Amino acid sequence: MDFDFSQSGSSNNMFPILVSNTADKILANSMDWVALSGEGTTGMRLTIANAGSGNSGSSTSNITVVSGTTYYGRIIRNDDSFNLKIYSTSALRTSAGTGDIGDVTQSTPTGITGLQYIQSSGRSDGGGGSNSWVVDNVKIYNDMTVADVIPSAT
């Protein structure tokens, strides 16, 4: 999945883009989901949750972002892991290399299924901080390798 995003304010408990197994608002381990999520005021990370097993995980390192700057993201599922790449330009994303802003991988908890709802959300229990973000140019690819995506990712 490719997307463009920018954020301002506190990035705590924000999910500029996520894919889940339900249209309900996000609350920790109550559903299966994978997301670009805020961590602190200048960090973004990859967060994954599995409702069935109560397992969740976040990438161990944050990717530092600057408020008001547009970034170009890509989330890739590879069997038992997800990879988040954040680029400074769409051209770098199209070249499919390592994210120049950040590149993190997170193992997938067992049993993640039904990821079919695209959302942009804060956490339903409120959390902290004020959130503002823009997500644009979302592209979803299914059963494709990165090499298959490149010609159509304009």
Side-chain angles (χ1 to χ4, degrees):
M1 172 173 58
D2 288 353
F3 54 93
D4 306 347
F5 80 97
S6 64
Q7 64 92 11
S8 62
S10 168
S11 60
N12 247 357
N13 298 325
M14 73 174 218
F15 304 96
I17 191 159
L18 63 96
V19 182
S20 68
N21 69 336
T22 177
D24 294 339
K25 200 168 184 183
I26 297 306
L27 179 57
N29 297 335
S30 65
M31 61 185 62
D32 291 355
W33 53 278
V34 59
L36 170 69
S37 64
E39 184 66 29
T41 57
T42 59
M44 301 303 293
R45 63 173 45 194
L46 185 62
T47 303
I48 302 167
N50 175 269
S53 67
N55 292 328
S56 66
S58 294
S59 53
T60 55
S61 58
N62 289 332
I63 297 173
T64 301
V65 294
V66 176
S67 181
T69 301
T70 299
Y71 295 97
Y72 304 87
R74 176 171 283 160
I75 296 176
I76 301 168
R77 184 173 190 171
N78 292 310
D79 296 323
D80 61 351
S81 67
F82 282 88
N83 181 240
L84 167 65
K85 299 171 183 257
I86 298 181
Y87 302 91
S88 58
T89 68
S90 61
L92 287 172
R93 179 179 59 203
T94 300
S95 70
T98 300
D100 65 321
I101 301 299
D103 198 318
V104 295
T105 299
Q106 175 62 39
S107 297
T108 305
T110 303
I112 296 271
T113 61
L115 299 177
Q116 58 185 323
Y117 296 91
I118 299 171
Q119 299 188 45
S120 184
S121 176
R123 215 168 73 187
S124 66
D125 66 350
S130 62
N131 305 310
S132 179
W133 59 85
V134 174
V135 176
D136 201 3
N137 300 315
V138 177
K139 296 180 177 107
I140 309 264
Y141 307 96
N142 191 28
D143 293 327
M144 299 180 82
T145 65
V146 172
D148 294 332
V149 172
I150 301 311
S152 62
T154 58

